[in-house]
Amino acid sequence: MSDFDQDDVAAMRRENGGKDFRLFMRQQIAEGKARRDKPATTKQPKPPGHRPGAWPAGSRPPDPLKPQPPGAWEHALHRYRQNEGSDRDPCHCGGCDTTSNDTEEN
């Protein structure tokens, strides 16, 4: 905003029949609105083939774990606690990573 005083406003009103003053005031209003109004945000478009609530194309929910005999979870937990901190596979439940070396100790 520019610095102006009463003499400047009086001079603007005298020049061009007050046209300069009206233009100046419109400019001031426009600058104030520009500071107040925020630009409209646009939503990101959905990817092609998007279905709300569906699994993405080419994927599916994970398979359920294979059934376990009674006591298998307790045995796996016991083995896990024995092997904690090692790089061996502590569990054979089907949900754990089985890519590591599989050695059983009883």
Side-chain angles (χ1 to χ4, degrees):
M1 189 164 167
S2 62
D3 294 331
F4 58 94
D5 58 6
Q6 292 177 353
D7 296 331
D8 295 330
V9 172
M12 282 190 280
R13 287 185 177 184
R14 282 192 304 268
E15 294 174 5
N16 294 330
K19 184 176 180 184
D20 290 342
F21 181 69
R22 286 191 300 272
L23 289 174
F24 175 75
M25 293 307 292
R26 286 186 182 130
Q27 177 190 3
Q28 294 296 312
I29 291 170
E31 287 177 3
K33 283 184 179 179
R35 284 192 306 268
R36 181 183 60 196
D37 296 337
K38 294 181 180 170
T41 58
T42 58
K43 282 188 171 182
Q44 291 287 339
K46 300 289 183 189
H50 174 73
R51 296 180 305 171
W55 285 86
S59 66
R60 62 183 180 84
D63 291 331
L65 297 177
K66 58 185 176 183
Q68 299 294 317
W73 293 106
E74 289 81 13
H75 178 68
L77 180 60
H78 175 71
R79 287 188 56 222
Y80 174 78
R81 288 179 178 156
Q82 287 179 341
N83 296 328
E84 199 167 5
S86 71
D87 60 350
R88 290 181 274 169
D89 182 22
C91 177
H92 298 287
C93 68
C96 296
D97 182 19
T98 58
T99 58
S100 62
N101 191 8
D102 191 14
T103 58
E104 284 209 26
E105 297 176 13
N106 290 332

